[in-house]
């Protein structure tokens, strides 16, 4: 067997956190103008996450959506080179799909098709092109949840916002 490894070194980080929304926390939702239609009440979940901490149990609150829209505002670094939007979700529910709009413009489709009834916590990312974020200190995010099978839902427990930098 042979292998080859590359090491890319930078003097500064290329991705850093600029905002965080704790879904289910009234103060956090209000601070970000979080609104959702076709959303159930805030629900708690105690489950195991995927990854290195799979043996631990994590407790969190969030929402399950059967369609409709989710909207909120987030802070960015105006010098950004794009944005990464990370959503903490319950992958005991699958599939989950939503169209993503940034300041009213279609930016992509966020799809999570995996199902894991044992390791339910999962952090799913979507990267947003800098054409939607460049020079802005904040954006409005709108997710239009795709309605599917009766048992499917779109879940959100937290959103973490990162900016790419040079």
């Amino acid at each position: 067997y042979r292998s080859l490894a590359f090491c890319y070194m930078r003097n500064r980080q290329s991705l850093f956190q600029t905002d965080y929304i704790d879904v289910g926390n009234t103060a956090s939702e209000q601070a970000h103008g979080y609104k959702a239609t076709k959303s159930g009440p805030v629900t708690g979940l105690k489950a195991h996450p995927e990854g290195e901490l799979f043996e631990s149990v994590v407790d969190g609150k969030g929402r399950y959506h059967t369609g409709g829209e989710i909207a909120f505002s987030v802070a960015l670094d105006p010098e950004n080179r794009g944005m990464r939007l990370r959503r903490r979700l319950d992958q005991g529910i699958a599939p989950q799909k939503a169209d993503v709009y940034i300041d009213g413009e279609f930016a992509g489709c966020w799809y999570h098709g995996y199902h894991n009834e044992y390791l339910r916590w999962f952090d799913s990312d979507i990267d947003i092109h800098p054409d939607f974020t460049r020079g802005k200190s904040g954006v409005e995010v709108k997710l239009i949840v795709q309605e599917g099978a009766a048992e499917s839902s779109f879940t959100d427990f937290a959103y973490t916002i990162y900016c790419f930098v040079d």
Side-chain angles (χ1 to χ4, degrees):
Y1 294 98
R2 293 181 184 196
S3 67
L4 176 65
F6 291 95
C7 177
Y8 298 96
M9 305 207 32
R10 294 181 61 115
N11 290 334
R12 60 181 250 199
Q13 61 186 5
S14 61
L15 188 66
F16 67 97
Q17 183 178 337
T18 59
D19 211 342
Y20 179 81
I21 303 171
D22 185 10
V23 177
N25 177 308
T26 304
S28 182
E29 287 184 355
Q30 287 177 347
H32 293 90
Y34 180 96
K35 292 181 177 62
T37 62
K38 292 193 176 185
S39 173
V42 173
T43 304
L45 176 65
K46 281 182 118 166
H48 298 275
E50 277 200 8
E52 295 176 2
L53 302 175
F54 72 93
E55 293 177 339
S56 62
V57 174
V58 177
D59 191 8
K61 291 182 180 177
R63 297 181 185 274
Y64 291 77
H65 310 271
T66 57
E69 295 181 5
I70 304 165
F72 50 87
S73 59
V74 297
L76 301 175
D77 178 343
E79 300 294 319
N80 75 77
R81 299 290 182 251
M83 171 178 86
R84 173 168 290 165
L85 186 56
R86 176 169 291 161
R87 173 173 57 107
R88 167 80 35 103
L89 59 90
D90 174 5
Q91 68 178 352
I93 308 289
Q96 299 183 38
K97 182 178 178 183
D99 289 333
V100 180
Y101 291 83
I102 303 296
D103 287 339
E105 294 185 56
F106 179 74
C109 180
W110 202 343
Y111 181 77
H112 184 81
Y114 306 115
H115 178 263
N116 191 330
E117 63 184 283
Y118 303 106
L119 303 176
R120 291 177 62 177
W121 289 120
F122 188 82
D123 290 339
S124 176
D125 295 341
I126 186 168
D127 290 339
I128 305 299
H129 194 274
D131 287 350
F132 297 96
T133 62
R134 186 179 296 119
K136 297 179 181 180
S137 60
V139 293
E140 297 293 322
V141 177
K142 180 168 65 172
L143 306 173
I144 298 180
V145 177
Q146 301 298 307
E147 298 180 38
E151 69 277 357
S152 77
S153 186
F154 189 86
T155 64
D156 58 356
F157 289 78
Y159 292 95
T160 308
I161 293 74
Y162 301 93
C163 284
F164 292 96
V165 296
D166 283 335

